[in-house]
Amino acid sequence: MSTKPEAAEALPPGMGRRRVKSGGIARLMWKYKALYIISLPGILYFLIFKYIPLGGSIIAFQDYNIFKGFTGSEWVGFAHFKTMFEHYDFLRILKNTVLIGLYDLVIAFPAPIILAILLNELRLVLFKRVVQTVVYMPHFLSWVVIAGMSVAILSPATGILNQLLGLFGIDPLYFLGDNRYIRSVLVGSGIWRDTGYGTILYLAALAGINPELYEAAEIDGANRWKQTLKITLPALLPTIMILFLLHIGKFLDFGFERVWVFLNALNTENGEILDTYIYRAGLLSQQYSYTTAVGLFKSVVGLVLVMAGNFFSKKTTGESLY
Amino acid sequence: MNRKMSGGYKTFNAFNILFLTILGLVMFLPFLNVIAQSFSSSAAITSGKVTFWPIEFTLINYEYVFSDASIWRSFAVSVFITAAGTLVNLVATATLAYPVSRQEYVGRRIVVLLVLVTMIFSAPLIPNFILIKNLHLMNTPWALILPGAISAFNFFVMHSFFKQLPAEVIDSARIDGCGELRIMTSMVVPLSKPVMASLGIFYAVGHWNAYMSALYYIDQPKWWPLQVKLKKMFETDDISIDPGASQFSDLAFTSPEGIKMATIIIATLPIILIYPFLQRHFVKGLTLGAVKS
């Protein structure tokens, strides 16, 4: 912003608009018609690929038939939403999704905050850089590759993890073929992949703290732990709150890929989430309207969570997304 | 930052270094294990002897992968989608972000809102699927490129960058008779090289690793990107004996693990090769994006 000393930018929003009006909006638009032409493909992209499917979500209230289309299909109101909550499968999968979401929120969300604080305490610059390089790396692997590596590493017969557990006298665990472990695998693989990468924004916030604050606290006799509680954490709070709000908006959106690549006949019972269910029942079994209803339900819950979270965050910490 | 070290803090520091070393190993050793397996004999892998270095060193797993035409085909598809897709991404994002970042653009608030809404509320899978089907994009590489042409987040990163470009420089170019497109290609783009590089990398890594959209929209093996091919290999325990050569048939039936690990390495190699370059840019790209909010 500082690079732009233009008066129009510094004016309050209302003033700028008035200036435009006096010039005549139509004339202004005609003068800069090239700008509108350049922006047209991008606008069309959003209208076609984002808003048409959004409108197409009305099939959740229809018995959509691919041959009859949107106009010819029968309207059924909220029937699909009713079936959803009476469906045993749906309730089990919703429970999985909520549980996995909770584990993720409680364990995976705070992990990068802690790691960033620990990295920030390091005074060995070279060591810090090496650790950062190594922990950022897994984020750039695809979920297919991570699942493939996990099959090798978690294998009960030949995997190195079970060999390591064997040293402590623990019998091999079939991590990927047992309903008991699948949720831990799903949340754990996310922690492995994204904790390091997640520290970047927190480290940027930590770098912005004025060192004089720590020096003053030192003089007042506050030890490192106290300094972390009273200076570091409050400085991170805005970043934490913004990322927290974004995270809870995606509470039911754990992610299709990262779950699908780990699922097999032995762990689907506890591992399946809404996204994989929508794919299986929707695309593979062609229950188009029903799974669109499930998808809408998911989006609406996400929206409500973001708005509620935003409201409470504004009240308590003053931080908000909008 | 020269705070004095108390005794307690020294202990903390030692534990911190120890903890971060272990964490680094936890992140790194799985790679080493996979690399070691890819260079080991099937007998060594099935008996569970392979840890962090190859046992009974062999190149047969790689020979198998290199002789499988379908893997090469998928590799080529992924390269094409990554190259073409990233180009489409950057052009589409920039051509929307630049005009909307200008004060002269009357409806800019409306466009920003149009993009913002898609970030908060997205359509379920089936309506997207029906759209791709009706546009006849199924089983074409465009189904993997067009639906994600502009990421809303990247749009906002680029938009906030363009907004900071000095308006008077652009105005003086206009006075000199430069058209808007000329201004964009010969002034705006060169000025925004760092942001283009960062976002280009985000887009490219995304394309290379994409699996979901290919699973949804492509069911003909000839357009399978590498990630889909890889997943199919993991799903079947006996690897197809595609190359046909007898030297591999035994290998494919007894232990396909080594082959799978070799394919993983090949699928990840492009990312590992650009990682040093990548690391320089993603930190910048990510913190740039944060400035806007």
Side-chain angles (χ1 to χ4, degrees):
Chain A
M1 284 299 141
S2 56
T3 48
K4 193 173 190 179
E6 200 64 70
E9 186 63 30
L11 287 174
M15 294 277 284
R17 279 184 149 186
R18 215 173 303 142
R19 190 186 62 131
V20 165
K21 260 182 197 140
S22 64
I25 289 179
R27 205 191 309 158
L28 190 72
M29 284 178 76
W30 181 249
K31 187 176 170 202
Y32 294 105
K33 56 185 179 301
L35 287 179
Y36 298 91
I37 296 169
I38 294 172
S39 69
L40 198 62
I43 293 173
L44 282 177
Y45 162 76
F46 276 98
L47 292 179
I48 295 172
F49 285 97
K50 300 290 169 184
Y51 282 88
I52 288 181
L54 218 48
S57 305
I58 52 157
I59 64 168
F61 306 97
Q62 290 182 328
D63 254 337
Y64 181 73
N65 180 317
I66 201 145
F67 300 107
K68 291 182 188 159
F70 299 107
T71 45
S73 297
E74 203 183 323
W75 291 91
V76 295
F78 284 87
H80 293 300
F81 293 88
K82 255 185 224 146
T83 3
M84 204 161 91
F85 286 101
E86 287 158 3
H87 208 296
Y88 164 74
D89 256 0
F90 174 80
L91 293 178
R92 171 179 60 83
I93 290 158
L94 182 63
K95 183 186 142 203
N96 286 346
T97 315
V98 169
L99 276 179
I100 291 171
L102 274 179
Y103 296 155
D104 193 54
L105 186 67
V106 173
I107 305 166
F109 180 76
I113 304 173
I114 297 165
L115 181 58
I117 293 175
L118 292 181
L119 279 171
N120 197 49
E121 291 292 327
L122 282 180
R123 291 293 161 266
L124 308 163
V125 179
L126 186 68
F127 178 72
K128 184 178 172 184
R129 200 159 295 163
V130 170
V131 173
Q132 278 178 298
T133 304
V134 172
V135 299
Y136 292 162
M137 177 71 203
H139 177 80
F140 295 95
L141 300 182
S142 75
W143 281 110
V144 176
V145 162
I146 291 174
M149 290 172 71
S150 308
V151 171
I153 288 154
L154 302 178
S155 151
T158 62
I160 42 168
L161 186 60
N162 273 312
Q163 289 181 29
L164 184 73
L165 292 177
L167 296 180
F168 297 98
I170 299 169
D171 286 335
L173 304 172
Y174 194 1
F175 289 105
L176 292 173
D178 194 323
N179 272 316
R180 277 178 297 172
Y181 304 120
I182 183 63
R183 292 186 194 132
S184 314
V185 169
L186 291 174
V187 176
S189 58
I191 295 174
W192 183 78
R193 180 184 189 258
D194 292 325
T195 299
Y197 189 75
T199 60
I200 295 176
L201 286 180
Y202 294 118
L203 286 173
L206 287 170
I209 300 176
N210 186 352
E212 283 172 23
L213 285 175
Y214 289 110
E215 280 154 27
E218 198 97 356
I219 293 163
D220 292 344
N223 63 23
R224 286 303 280 249
W225 177 241
K226 270 247 167 74
Q227 292 175 21
T228 304
L229 286 183
K230 302 281 175 189
I231 301 171
T232 313
L233 275 180
L236 284 180
L237 193 65
T239 314
I240 294 175
M241 282 320 292
I242 297 291
L243 292 179
F244 177 76
L245 290 174
L246 292 173
H247 190 103
I248 60 162
K250 302 242 170 265
F251 185 72
L252 294 183
D253 264 317
F254 188 67
F256 171 82
E257 271 186 38
R258 57 185 296 190
V259 176
W260 184 254
V261 295
F262 282 106
L263 289 187
N264 58 46
L266 298 170
N267 61 26
T268 298
E269 177 85 16
N270 282 1
E272 187 160 40
I273 62 164
L274 289 175
D275 293 298
T276 56
Y277 178 57
I278 290 170
Y279 170 67
R280 200 168 52 84
L283 267 195
L284 300 184
S285 311
Q286 273 135 38
Q287 303 182 55
Y288 289 158
S289 283
Y290 170 63
T291 51
T292 303
V294 176
L296 269 188
F297 164 77
K298 205 175 63 118
S299 298
V300 170
V301 170
L303 191 64
V304 169
L305 285 175
V306 167
M307 284 165 65
N310 204 50
F311 177 77
F312 285 114
S313 168
K314 221 176 201 168
K315 288 262 162 183
T316 53
T317 66
E319 297 297 333
S320 70
L321 284 177
Y322 47 84
Chain B
M1 277 274 171
N2 30 23
R3 289 173 267 173
K4 62 171 183 279
M5 292 226 189
S6 64
Y9 183 60
K10 262 185 195 149
T11 327
F12 163 78
N13 217 12
F15 272 106
N16 193 15
I17 289 172
L18 182 70
F19 173 77
L20 290 173
T21 307
I22 293 172
L23 193 80
L25 288 176
V26 168
M27 302 287 180
F28 182 66
L29 289 181
F31 287 105
L32 216 53
N33 181 242
V34 170
I35 294 170
Q37 289 206 22
S38 74
F39 285 110
S40 297
S41 75
S42 20
I45 299 172
T46 35
S47 60
K49 277 188 278 190
V50 183
T51 48
F52 304 120
W53 44 88
I55 306 285
E56 297 170 24
F57 182 87
T58 171
L59 289 174
I60 194 157
N61 298 315
Y62 286 94
E63 279 170 33
Y64 178 92
V65 175
F66 285 130
S67 60
D68 186 335
S70 66
I71 294 177
W72 280 117
R73 164 90 203 178
S74 293
F75 195 92
V77 170
S78 281
V79 169
F80 171 72
I81 287 167
T82 304
T86 307
L87 188 69
V88 169
N89 288 142
L90 287 178
V91 171
T93 311
T95 50
L96 184 62
Y98 171 68
V100 174
S101 72
R102 295 294 97 199
Q103 289 286 311
E104 296 82 14
Y105 195 95
V106 176
R108 57 187 187 280
R109 277 155 211 263
I110 300 167
V111 180
V112 164
L113 195 69
L114 188 86
V115 179
L116 194 65
V117 167
T118 68
M119 239 176 152
I120 299 165
F121 204 88
S122 57
L125 163 63
I126 299 298
N128 280 304
F129 172 77
I130 293 171
L131 175 75
I132 301 297
K133 223 180 159 86
N134 288 342
L135 292 174
H136 302 289
L137 295 176
M138 290 291 287
N139 284 313
T140 68
W142 302 109
L144 310 181
I145 293 174
L146 293 180
I150 304 177
S151 125
F153 182 82
N154 290 348
F155 164 81
F156 283 114
V157 173
M158 219 183 250
H159 178 253
S160 67
F161 185 86
F162 287 156
K163 252 167 100 174
Q164 297 170 10
L165 296 176
E168 58 271 27
V169 178
I170 288 163
D171 277 338
S172 64
R174 280 179 187 142
I175 291 163
D176 291 344
C178 265
E180 295 295 332
L181 203 61
R182 259 298 294 288
I183 295 176
M184 235 194 109
T185 51
S186 58
M187 282 178 62
V188 175
V189 172
L191 279 173
S192 24
K193 263 187 200 146
V195 80
M196 291 283 175
S198 301
L199 296 188
I201 275 174
F202 281 131
Y203 278 131
V205 172
H207 281 298
W208 185 261
N209 286 340
Y211 167 70
M212 185 173 71
S213 46
L215 184 71
Y216 292 164
Y217 305 136
I218 310 253
D219 40 49
Q220 286 174 2
K222 72 169 183 174
W223 283 115
W224 275 350
L226 197 52
Q227 305 296 337
V228 175
K229 175 71 190 163
L230 199 56
K231 181 72 169 74
K232 296 282 176 193
M233 285 176 73
F234 287 120
E235 278 167 3
T236 50
D237 228 20
D238 40 35
I239 301 276
S240 71
I241 334 173
D242 225 29
S246 58
Q247 74 198 82
F248 297 125
S249 62
D250 183 41
L251 172 77
F253 281 121
T254 51
S255 167
E257 300 310 323
I259 297 172
K260 290 175 184 173
M261 295 310 124
T263 319
I264 285 186
I265 298 299
I266 290 170
T268 317
L269 207 59
I271 300 233
I272 293 174
L273 288 180
I274 62 159
Y275 185 64
F277 174 70
L278 205 128
Q279 201 194 353
R280 206 158 7 114
H281 282 94
F282 66 70
V283 175
K284 217 186 293 164
L286 208 64
T287 33
L288 251 174
V291 170
K292 135 247 152 187
S293 55

